[in-house]
Amino acid sequence: MASELPPTRWALGGAKNSGYGVRFAELISQGKDIDGEARLADTLLDRGARVLDAGSGIGRVGGYLQARGHQVLAAEPDPALVAQSHDLHPELVVVPLEILALTPEAVAAAGGPDSFDLVVCVGNVLTFVADGTEVAVLQRLRDLLAPGGRILAGFHLRGGPSTARPYSPEEFIADATSAGLRIDHRFGGYDLRPVDDEYAVWLLSLA
Ligand SMILES: C[S@@+](CC[C@H](N)C(=O)[O-])C[C@H]1O[C@@H](n2cnc3c(N)ncnc32)[C@H](O)[C@@H]1O
């Protein structure tokens, strides 16, 4: 199924996007804090919750949450990042699929649960999906939520990667609403700073 899907902006960016994995490897070796997103996610959860890390990259968020006892499934279509994730977090199960391919059957085949308490979709994933698939991606994530489940999403509004799309708050709110999601909160960062025009962190739930 994945081969029938339109190419993501991440895939189209090719080598231009390779800096992400390299940069985080450096940050880790320098002992820098790369866990802000994961700490906020953990705060949102009961212990032992079901988490989907959608577009998990090197597994930094999913790996952190799994180490704190949550039941995490990661989904990452870039094979180089899947390999880096396996090296860094061998226990984290990564299904090598795009979000649009994450049907309940695919999740079950990967050993995942029927639904999730939290979907984490951070680090600009939503600005890297294939052009025109934003609402479908958000719908797919919505359909994987358990009752009371939430989505934590975040992306740059300014100064983001050159291969990612610009995504205005107004467009995102319209897309999320079309996908049957409610905007519960918007912040300017994972430390819950006030809304600004640089970065947007969103908490979404079933409308
Ligand atoms: C900058 S990386 C961020 C990775 C990770 N979330 C993090 O914060 O470290 C962007 C990621 O978006 C993923 N991505 C883009 N479109 C996607 C899609 N349709 N489904 C799943 N992942 C996607 C890419 O494969 C890439 O891993």
Side-chain angles (χ1 to χ4, degrees):
M1 176 173 183
S3 58
E4 299 161 16
L5 298 174
T8 65
R9 283 178 176 268
W10 183 264
L12 291 174
K16 286 187 185 159
N17 290 329
S18 60
Y20 156 74
V22 173
R23 184 167 56 88
F24 273 100
E26 281 169 10
L27 292 172
I28 292 165
S29 72
Q30 294 163 1
K32 296 277 170 59
D33 178 17
I34 60 161
D35 297 326
E37 295 91 334
R39 284 195 298 271
L40 175 57
D42 190 38
T43 303
L44 301 172
L45 292 167
D46 288 338
R47 298 306 86 191
R50 301 160 293 178
V51 178
L52 173 66
D53 186 357
S56 55
I58 64 167
R60 66 192 176 104
V61 179
Y64 178 104
L65 293 172
Q66 181 155 296
R68 273 141 198 90
H70 299 297
Q71 181 190 341
V72 183
L73 181 68
E76 173 53 55
D78 180 332
L81 295 180
V82 173
Q84 195 172 347
S85 179
H86 283 149
D87 285 347
L88 289 168
H89 304 283
E91 298 78 28
L92 180 66
V93 176
V94 185
V95 54
L97 293 176
E98 284 197 27
I99 291 166
L100 286 173
L102 287 179
T103 58
E105 295 74 24
V107 170
D114 291 344
S115 57
F116 295 89
D117 302 300
L118 183 70
V119 172
V120 180
C121 194
V122 299
N124 288 314
V125 173
L126 291 172
T127 60
F128 274 118
V129 302
D131 254 351
T133 65
E134 291 83 354
V135 173
V137 163
L138 288 164
Q139 268 169 349
R140 182 95 300 281
L141 296 179
R142 177 199 183 278
D143 289 349
L144 291 169
L145 289 180
R150 298 196 276 183
I151 298 175
L152 174 65
F155 52 83
H156 277 93
L157 302 175
R158 275 212 320 230
S162 62
T163 50
R165 66 162 286 190
Y167 207 173
S168 74
E170 294 74 23
E171 280 179 282
F172 178 72
I173 290 167
D175 286 353
T177 304
S178 295
L181 290 162
R182 187 177 71 201
I183 312 288
D184 290 330
H185 299 284
R186 175 185 164 193
F187 303 102
Y190 297 97
D191 55 2
L192 309 188
R193 69 185 63 184
V195 166
D196 65 25
D197 59 1
E198 302 278 331
Y199 199 89
V201 172
W202 307 89
L203 265 174
L204 313 171
S205 61
L206 297 167

